[in-house]
Amino acid sequence: MVAKLIVLYSNIKDPEKFDEYYKNVHIPLAKKIPGVRKIAVSKVKGVALGKANYYQVVEVYFDDIESLKKASESKEAKEASKDGLALDPNLTILVTEEV
Amino acid sequence: MVAKLIVLYSNIKDPEKFDEYYKNVHIPLAKKIPGVRKIAVSKVKGVALGKANYYQVVEVYFDDIESLKKASESKEAKEASKDGLALDPNLTILVTEEV
């Protein structure tokens, strides 16, 4: 079953600057993580229900949970994660598996 | 551009009961929403970074943000949303657009 890291960015102060950096620096770093099959970036346009201040939700796809776990231990993943945290100190990364 | 509702469930007390109801009652309701192209259900297996107590993340795909917005006003969407809230009073639904 497909596994995904779901990455939640919130509280972005300068969206324009963030978007440019994300596209030109962060995505290339994330693409280096071994086993990554696809990266889907979604901008939050509104909150239909509940309370949340997310700016962006990113899904990083792997073939399965084993590939994801193995990839998480790579130096490339640690670098991407460090870069993500510099963008958003409140960064949340969920490890998920599709059912 | 593809648009998605990203639905975040948290604090589920009886996961087995929740999963059964979700699959057999809630998904069929969600599938009735006009314009829904795909529903992807992911179980949260762990939190790699940050703090979050999400149990499940669901993406409901539409062709574009206009279809999503139109669908949100339908009686089918209101029914699915009511049913979701009964499952989780802290339900969060984000309106997103892929970039």
Side-chain angles (χ1 to χ4, degrees):
Chain A
M1 282 179 299
V2 166
K4 301 185 290 198
L5 290 171
I6 300 182
V7 188
L8 301 155
Y9 287 90
S10 57
N11 284 322
I12 301 304
K13 287 188 180 67
D14 187 338
E16 207 173 317
K17 197 176 153 194
F18 173 90
D19 288 351
E20 200 190 315
Y21 184 90
Y22 196 83
K23 190 177 153 188
N24 298 320
V25 182
H26 189 75
I27 288 281
L29 280 180
K31 281 187 174 163
K32 283 185 191 163
I33 301 172
V36 168
R37 295 296 178 220
K38 186 180 127 178
I39 299 177
V41 179
S42 299
K43 296 288 177 204
V44 177
K45 297 291 176 181
V47 179
L49 207 64
K51 274 177 289 184
N53 59 354
Y54 297 123
Y55 173 68
Q56 178 174 284
V57 182
V58 184
E59 292 146 87
V60 185
Y61 287 74
F62 295 85
D63 286 338
D64 48 43
I65 196 88
E66 288 74 27
S67 315
L68 183 155
K69 284 180 177 170
K70 206 178 155 193
S72 302
E73 287 158 21
S74 68
K75 67 175 197 305
E76 291 86 352
K78 277 165 190 150
E79 224 169 288
S81 168
K82 197 178 152 193
D83 191 66
L85 261 177
L87 284 169
D88 173 15
N90 298 313
L91 192 67
T92 299
I93 305 184
L94 309 174
V95 175
T96 76
E97 193 177 29
E98 280 195 11
V99 292
Chain B
M1 284 180 300
V2 165
K4 301 186 289 198
L5 290 171
I6 299 182
V7 188
L8 301 155
Y9 287 89
S10 58
N11 284 321
I12 300 304
K13 287 187 181 70
D14 187 338
E16 208 173 315
K17 196 176 153 193
F18 173 90
D19 289 352
E20 200 191 316
Y21 184 90
Y22 197 83
K23 190 177 154 191
N24 299 320
V25 181
H26 189 75
I27 289 282
L29 280 179
K31 281 187 175 163
K32 283 186 191 164
I33 301 172
V36 169
R37 294 296 178 219
K38 186 178 127 179
I39 299 177
V41 179
S42 299
K43 296 289 177 202
V44 178
K45 298 290 175 182
V47 180
L49 207 64
K51 275 177 286 185
N53 59 353
Y54 297 123
Y55 173 69
Q56 177 174 285
V57 182
V58 184
E59 292 147 87
V60 185
Y61 288 73
F62 295 85
D63 287 338
D64 49 44
I65 196 88
E66 288 72 28
S67 313
L68 182 156
K69 284 182 176 170
K70 206 178 155 193
S72 301
E73 287 159 20
S74 68
K75 67 175 196 307
E76 291 86 354
K78 278 166 191 150
E79 224 168 290
S81 167
K82 198 179 150 192
D83 191 66
L85 263 177
L87 284 169
D88 173 15
N90 298 313
L91 192 66
T92 299
I93 305 183
L94 309 174
V95 175
T96 76
E97 193 177 28
E98 281 194 11
V99 291

